[in-house]
């Protein structure tokens, strides 16, 4: 008989939990604890790296949303410049104001307010902002108005306590007089590319990204979903289907620059006059995104229980009705998840777009899908390669805009996924 006070003993008195067993059990528990700690450590390291990355971009990017501006009062009543709402709203209004001497008026007013040295540090294109203000409000021509106009990059560096000693001294003097300050640059969000970091903006590249993503989604999503439906629901299981499946899996792992070469060789050969157009960029990125959507779509369709199909067929639904009324709605959340991943990858791509010519200097936002354009990742790449230090902060600010655009796009996709999600 075993000792009832000893639960580790058998009827013959032999122990069931030997020292070796206890040792192995402790080692197993210790391994489990180490695995949990390693997992927690990996998560904490990832979060720390993400925080450092976001903090670094935020610190550098905040300055990119600001610019050094000079205070310039302008007396339009004594300037001799004339115009009304009808003339200033015409397409040639900018040239008309230039011919009337608006650049000289702005320069003279700056010299009167800032002195000769200060006026020389006013951006050469500052008068264009004055012209834009006059076009939006012609009543300014009847009196005096004070403008905050962009300075040169050298003066901006002096304001940041960089550059040569003379420029730092001039910036300090103008700042003490209240004629120089760092102000939030709303124009950064509505302007396009420029050679002066004080005049650049992201709207042209942002609009190009939006148009390119529209083309990418319009081509990749329907073709990818229909391909997944055919391969999973209708295609016969034979050698050719296996070859197609392997090819799609391989295409999902092909480097993006290969798709750029394909776009260069095919699309630009067919449409030679659309180099750097969002249409060509979207078609190129659609080729890259489509395999991801097909793979995720097939997995989502495969996850729909067979009982859904059997039940629909049992009540008289046709095979097409089964697929589009029952299978596809249930698989749509998984398909949208793959679409989010594919579109996020496409939004951040640079290499394929560089090959099809979307690295050109584009000073105006694109008018449509066939107009010359660039995209945010390419714009960031070009600014990061500039020698002028003023582009460093602008580059960080553009990265923040790109991340916000990505978050908005993903949030919209997640909302649609949750809206169409159904349970069985």
């Amino acid at each position: 008989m075993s000792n009832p006070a000893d639960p580790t003993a058998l009827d013959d008195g032999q122990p069931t939990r030997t020292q070796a067993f206890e040792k192995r059990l402790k080692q197993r528990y210790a391994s489990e604890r180490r695995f949990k700690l390693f997992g927690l450590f990996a998560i904490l390291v990832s979060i720390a790296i993400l925080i450092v990355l976001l903090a670094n971009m935020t610190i550098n990017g905040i300055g990119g949303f600001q610019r050094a501006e000079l205070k310039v009062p302008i007396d339009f009543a004594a300037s001799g410049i004339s115009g009304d709402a009808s003339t200033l709203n015409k397409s040639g209004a900018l040239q008309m104001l230039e011919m009337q001497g608006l650049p000289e008026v702005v320069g003279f007013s700056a010299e009167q307010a800032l002195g000769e040295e200060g006026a020389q540090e006013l951006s050469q294109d500052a008068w264009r902002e004055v012209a834009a203000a006059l076009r939006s409000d012609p009543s300014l021509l009847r009196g005096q108005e004070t403008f905050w106009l962009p300075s040169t990059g050298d003066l901006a560096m002096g304001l940041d306590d960089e550059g040569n000693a003379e420029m730092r001294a001039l910036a300090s003097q103008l700042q003490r007089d209240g004629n120089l300050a760092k102000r939030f640059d709303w124009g950064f969000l509505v302007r396009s590319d420029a050679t002066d970091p004080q005049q650049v903006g992201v709207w042209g590249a942002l609009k190009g990204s939006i148009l390119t993503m529209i083309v990418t989604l319009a081509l990749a999503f329907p073709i990818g979903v229909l391909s997944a439906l055919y391969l999973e629901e209708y295609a016969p299981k034979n050698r050719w289907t296996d070859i197609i499946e392997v090819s799609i899996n391989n295409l999902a792992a092909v480097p993006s620059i290969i798709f750029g070469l394909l776009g260069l060789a095919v699309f630009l050969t067919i449409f030679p006059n659309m180099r750097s157009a969002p249409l060509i960029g979207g078609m190129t990125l659609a080729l890259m995104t489509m395999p991801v959507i097909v793979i995720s779509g097939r997995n989502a369709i495969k996850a729909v229980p067979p009982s859904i199909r059997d039940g629909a067929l049992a009540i008289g639904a046709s095979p097409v009705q089964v697929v589009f009324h029952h299978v596809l709605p249930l698989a749509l959340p998984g398909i949208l998840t793959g679409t989010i991943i594919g579109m996020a990858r496409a939004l951040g791509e640079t290499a394929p777009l560089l090959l099809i010519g979307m690295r050109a200097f584009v000073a105006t936002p694109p008018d449509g899908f066939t107009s010359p354009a660039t995209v945010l990742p390419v714009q960031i790449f070009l600014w990061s390669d500039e020698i002028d230090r003023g582009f460093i902060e602008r580059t960080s600010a553009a990265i923040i805009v790109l991340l916000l655009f990505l978050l908005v796009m993903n949030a919209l996709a997640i909302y649609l996924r949750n809206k169409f999600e159904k349970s069985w």
Side-chain angles (χ1 to χ4, degrees):
M1 294 292 293
S2 61
N3 184 4
D6 185 7
T8 65
L10 294 173
D11 291 342
D12 57 0
Q14 296 295 326
T16 60
R17 301 180 64 167
T18 62
Q19 291 183 352
F21 175 82
E22 292 288 348
K23 183 178 180 180
R24 290 195 301 270
L25 188 62
K26 290 180 180 179
Q27 290 176 348
R28 188 187 310 164
Y29 288 156
S31 299
E32 183 177 351
R33 287 193 297 269
R34 284 196 301 270
F35 179 78
K36 291 181 178 179
L37 290 176
F38 287 152
L40 180 61
F41 177 75
I43 293 175
L44 293 177
V45 170
S46 301
I47 294 175
I49 293 174
L50 180 61
I51 291 175
V52 171
L53 177 63
L54 293 177
N56 181 61
M57 286 191 302
T58 302
I59 293 172
N60 293 328
I62 288 177
F65 289 101
Q66 298 177 326
R67 69 174 179 179
E69 295 183 348
L70 291 165
K71 183 180 179 181
V72 180
I74 302 176
D75 187 3
F76 292 106
S79 66
I81 297 176
S82 61
D84 53 26
S86 59
T87 57
L88 292 178
N89 286 329
K90 293 181 179 179
S91 58
L94 188 64
Q95 290 77 9
M96 182 194 72
L97 291 172
E98 185 177 8
M99 292 179 62
Q100 291 188 29
L102 181 59
E104 290 76 13
V105 170
V106 173
F108 176 77
S109 300
E111 188 172 345
Q112 293 292 317
L114 308 173
E116 184 177 354
E117 291 185 356
Q120 290 178 354
E121 299 306 321
L122 187 68
S123 175
Q124 293 182 353
D125 292 328
W127 70 273
R128 295 180 181 272
E129 297 194 9
V130 178
L134 293 177
R135 295 186 66 182
S136 61
D137 186 8
S139 64
L140 296 177
L141 289 171
R142 294 194 293 267
Q144 181 174 336
E145 187 69 22
T146 300
F147 293 89
W148 284 92
L149 301 176
S151 70
T152 61
D154 293 337
L155 187 62
M157 291 179 61
L159 184 60
D160 293 333
D161 202 20
E162 299 178 358
N164 57 59
E166 294 181 1
M167 199 58 63
R168 292 200 301 269
L170 178 60
S172 178
Q173 179 63 41
L174 291 172
Q175 188 178 26
R176 285 196 301 269
D177 295 339
N179 293 324
L180 176 64
K182 278 271 191 177
R183 295 166 60 89
F184 189 85
D185 184 17
W186 291 102
F188 179 72
L189 302 175
V190 297
R191 292 191 301 266
S192 296
D193 198 8
T195 56
D196 185 357
Q198 291 283 90
Q199 296 285 347
V200 297
V202 295
W203 172 239
L206 180 60
K207 187 176 180 181
S209 293
I210 294 173
L211 295 176
T212 303
M213 289 300 102
I214 290 175
V215 175
T216 302
L217 183 63
L219 293 176
F221 184 75
I223 297 176
V225 172
L226 291 176
S227 300
L229 284 173
Y230 175 77
L231 291 173
E232 200 61 37
E233 297 291 331
Y234 298 106
K237 305 302 180 183
N238 53 32
R239 181 181 302 175
W240 294 108
T241 306
D242 294 338
I243 293 175
I244 293 174
E245 182 177 352
V246 171
S247 300
I248 292 174
N249 292 334
N250 290 335
L251 283 175
V254 169
S256 60
I257 196 170
I258 303 300
F259 293 100
L261 292 172
L262 181 62
L264 178 64
V266 178
F267 298 141
L268 287 181
T269 301
I270 300 174
F271 307 104
N273 297 326
M274 293 188 184
R275 191 176 185 89
S276 78
L279 178 62
I280 303 299
M283 293 167 66
T284 303
L285 294 179
L287 293 177
M288 185 188 70
T289 307
M290 212 176 300
V292 179
I293 297 178
V294 173
I295 294 172
S296 62
R298 291 193 64 188
N299 292 331
I301 294 169
K302 193 180 299 183
V304 177
S307 58
I308 300 294
R309 299 175 177 84
D310 297 338
L313 291 172
I315 61 176
S318 66
V320 175
Q321 289 175 327
V322 171
V323 170
F324 286 95
H325 294 175
H326 300 277
V327 176
L328 184 58
L330 293 175
L332 192 58
I335 296 173
L336 289 177
T337 300
T339 304
I340 293 172
I341 297 173
M343 293 298 294
R345 178 189 175 191
L347 179 61
E349 281 297 337
T350 303
L353 300 180
L354 291 175
L355 287 176
I356 63 172
M358 296 191 78
R359 64 165 296 156
F361 178 82
V362 181
T364 57
D367 296 327
F369 294 101
T370 58
S371 301
T374 187
V375 292
L376 274 173
V378 175
Q379 189 71 81
I380 292 169
F381 168 75
L382 295 176
W383 286 353
S384 65
D385 200 38
E386 291 286 346
I387 300 177
D388 195 330
R389 287 181 54 84
F391 281 98
I392 296 177
E393 292 182 340
R394 296 297 196 178
T395 301
S396 299
I399 292 174
I400 293 176
V401 173
L402 177 62
L403 289 177
L404 291 176
F405 181 35
L406 178 62
L407 289 175
V408 170
M409 189 177 70
N410 286 350
L412 178 61
I414 292 172
Y415 167 77
L416 294 175
R417 183 186 65 185
N418 294 335
K419 180 179 180 180
F420 292 109
E421 187 173 9
K422 296 181 180 180
S423 58
W424 55 79

